[in-house]
Amino acid sequence: MATVVAGLHAGMTLLTGMTLLNGMTLGPSSVLAVSDIAHAPFWVQFTQIVGSVLGVFLIIGIGAFCRSQKWLSREADFSLAKITANVLMPALFLDRILNDETLDALSTAWVPPLFGFGFTTGGLLLAWLIARAAGPWVGLKTDAQQRAFAICAGIANYGYIPLPLSQIFYPSAEVELILHNVGVDLALWSVGIAIISGGTRSAAGAAGGEQNAPMRSSFPRLGLFGKILPALTSAPLIAVVIALSIRSLNWDAMIPPSLMKSIHLLAGASIPMGLLLSGAIIIDFLRAAQWTGATPVILLSIGFRQLLMPVIMLGVASVWATQTDMKHVLILQAAMSSAVFPIVLTRLYHGDTATALRVVLSTSLAGLVLIPIWISLGAWWLGV
């Protein structure tokens, strides 16, 4: 189940004027080439980025519309999410890594995951500390509310929004983004789970009346390893390991073209499916959200996720990120709103779902404005 739902948070192409997943382009006269964007005036870059972000959110909106019309039912969510997480996303990772002509130095493949793990771990811990310190003054009074804030504000969306933006503006950085996401997953399933699972009770305990039973791992005898096992055994991570192994052994030329074509076709369906599912799930969350008295939490969420963290990430990137592609990855991640999947984890661990909804939905809505601004500012600040 963890692997299935994890695919829901893990980017999409736009309807017009953008590069599609199969490499085709619609409306070439209205979109600048990637090399031209880097040297275009700031206002031109900003206009292009705004159009890209709106296009991605439009696909999410279509998913929400499909849910409202009952074309995409809740009963279908599990099956489609399972296909997305276990078939389509691994196909995307295989396709990109095996066909990436810039991935020559496999010895440095550990750098993007290290950045992903470091920033995500730091964000989770810093969000938790801020929730503890400022919680009583902004409405995060209980331990459950503070933990929900920490896991939702501490992790940025690292899949279905940054991936298509990378494909549009920074295609050479897409593989680095995929490798970066491996580190994010490991941080989420270790540090993130440790934060949200503290002080909660298990679903089994709730059903059986054990009001004070602690949340137990699905692998209780394995300790911390049991908590990160879902990430280590997820199909996307396995696909990354397989693809890197094939590249390091120079076996990629031995793969039959028919197989690569099949993988490529499946890869093209991954992000559209993920965005449609995200839209359907978000509309469900919007209906369940309680906004009365939520203003302080909303302001703290946006201030942390979309003001403080971008400054920290871009500052670190200006010092420690030396490769252009890695800078592009960190620009995208610094600009992102909160990931959606932590809402699911909050529910799974019987946390404060109302707080989780407020954090994720408020930063997602603010992202319509702030994502283009931060991508533009990040590109200017890092000079890429």
Side-chain angles (χ1 to χ4, degrees):
M1 176 63 182
T3 303
V4 173
V5 199
L8 291 176
H9 65 81
M12 209 73 313
T13 23
L14 311 181
L15 299 180
T16 59
M18 293 187 186
T19 302
L20 298 177
L21 291 175
N22 61 4
M24 298 175 62
T25 302
L26 296 175
S29 61
S30 62
V31 163
L32 298 175
V34 173
S35 58
D36 295 331
I37 290 176
H39 302 287
F42 180 85
W43 70 268
V44 175
Q45 295 182 27
F46 184 74
T47 301
Q48 297 292 321
I49 293 170
V50 167
S52 303
V53 172
L54 289 177
V56 171
F57 277 91
L58 177 60
I59 304 297
I60 295 176
I62 292 174
F65 178 76
C66 291
R67 172 73 98 221
S68 67
Q69 297 299 308
K70 299 183 179 179
W71 298 341
L72 180 55
S73 65
R74 293 185 180 183
E75 292 74 19
D77 286 353
F78 181 83
S79 296
L80 293 177
K82 190 171 184 179
I83 291 174
T84 302
N86 294 329
V87 178
L88 301 182
M89 290 304 292
L92 175 66
F93 294 174
L94 285 169
D95 180 66
R96 295 302 187 264
I97 295 176
L98 292 177
N99 290 296
D100 183 27
E101 298 179 356
T102 66
L103 189 63
D104 297 325
L106 292 176
S107 60
T108 62
W110 57 271
V111 175
L114 182 62
F115 272 107
F117 183 86
F119 276 124
T120 304
T121 298
L124 289 167
L125 295 177
L126 183 58
W128 194 16
L129 290 174
I130 290 178
R132 293 290 193 194
W137 288 274
V138 298
L140 301 174
K141 298 180 180 180
T142 68
D143 179 72
Q145 291 174 331
Q146 294 166 3
R147 291 178 183 274
F149 175 88
I151 194 172
C152 291
I155 182 170
N157 191 304
Y158 59 99
Y160 293 139
I161 296 180
L163 272 173
L165 294 179
S166 174
Q167 293 167 357
I168 295 163
F169 292 111
Y170 309 127
S172 65
E174 187 177 4
V175 170
E176 279 75 9
L177 178 58
I178 290 171
L179 296 176
H180 164 276
N181 292 352
V182 171
V184 178
D185 262 326
L186 293 176
L188 173 63
W189 287 99
S190 55
V191 180
I193 292 298
I195 289 176
I196 195 60
S197 65
T200 61
R201 55 194 178 90
S202 68
E210 299 174 34
Q211 299 299 318
N212 297 317
M215 182 68 188
R216 288 185 286 271
S217 167
S218 300
F219 307 90
R221 296 182 180 180
L222 299 180
L224 178 61
F225 180 75
K227 291 185 177 181
I228 65 174
L229 193 59
L232 296 176
T233 57
S234 67
L237 178 57
I238 293 174
V240 169
V241 173
I242 291 175
L244 290 176
S245 300
I246 291 175
R247 288 295 299 269
S248 64
L249 296 171
N250 295 319
W251 288 355
D252 42 309
M254 301 170 58
I255 302 176
S258 58
L259 177 58
M260 286 304 304
K261 180 63 176 178
S262 299
I263 293 174
H264 180 71
L265 291 173
L266 290 170
S270 59
I271 295 178
M273 180 66 76
L275 283 181
L276 290 173
L277 282 171
S278 296
I281 292 173
I282 286 176
I283 195 65
D284 289 341
F285 289 156
L286 276 172
R287 292 168 178 167
Q290 299 292 328
W291 299 102
T292 304
T295 301
V297 174
I298 290 174
L299 293 177
L300 181 63
S301 303
I302 296 174
F304 177 83
R305 180 70 264 163
Q306 292 164 299
L307 294 178
L308 177 61
M309 286 304 297
V311 171
I312 294 175
M313 294 180 70
L314 293 176
V316 172
S318 66
V319 176
W320 294 103
T322 57
Q323 296 183 343
T324 299
D325 287 341
M326 196 65 242
K327 291 181 180 180
H328 288 157
V329 170
L330 296 181
I331 288 172
L332 290 173
Q333 284 299 284
M336 287 302 109
S337 54
S338 296
V340 176
F341 182 62
I343 298 178
V344 180
L345 284 178
T346 303
R347 285 184 170 180
L348 180 64
Y349 283 86
H350 300 277
D352 191 272
T353 307
T355 298
L357 290 171
R358 292 169 180 174
V359 173
V360 173
L361 295 178
S362 62
T363 58
S364 296
L365 293 175
L368 287 168
V369 176
L370 294 177
I371 289 175
I373 291 176
W374 278 115
I375 291 178
S376 300
L377 289 176
W380 168 77
W381 176 254
L382 298 181
V384 292

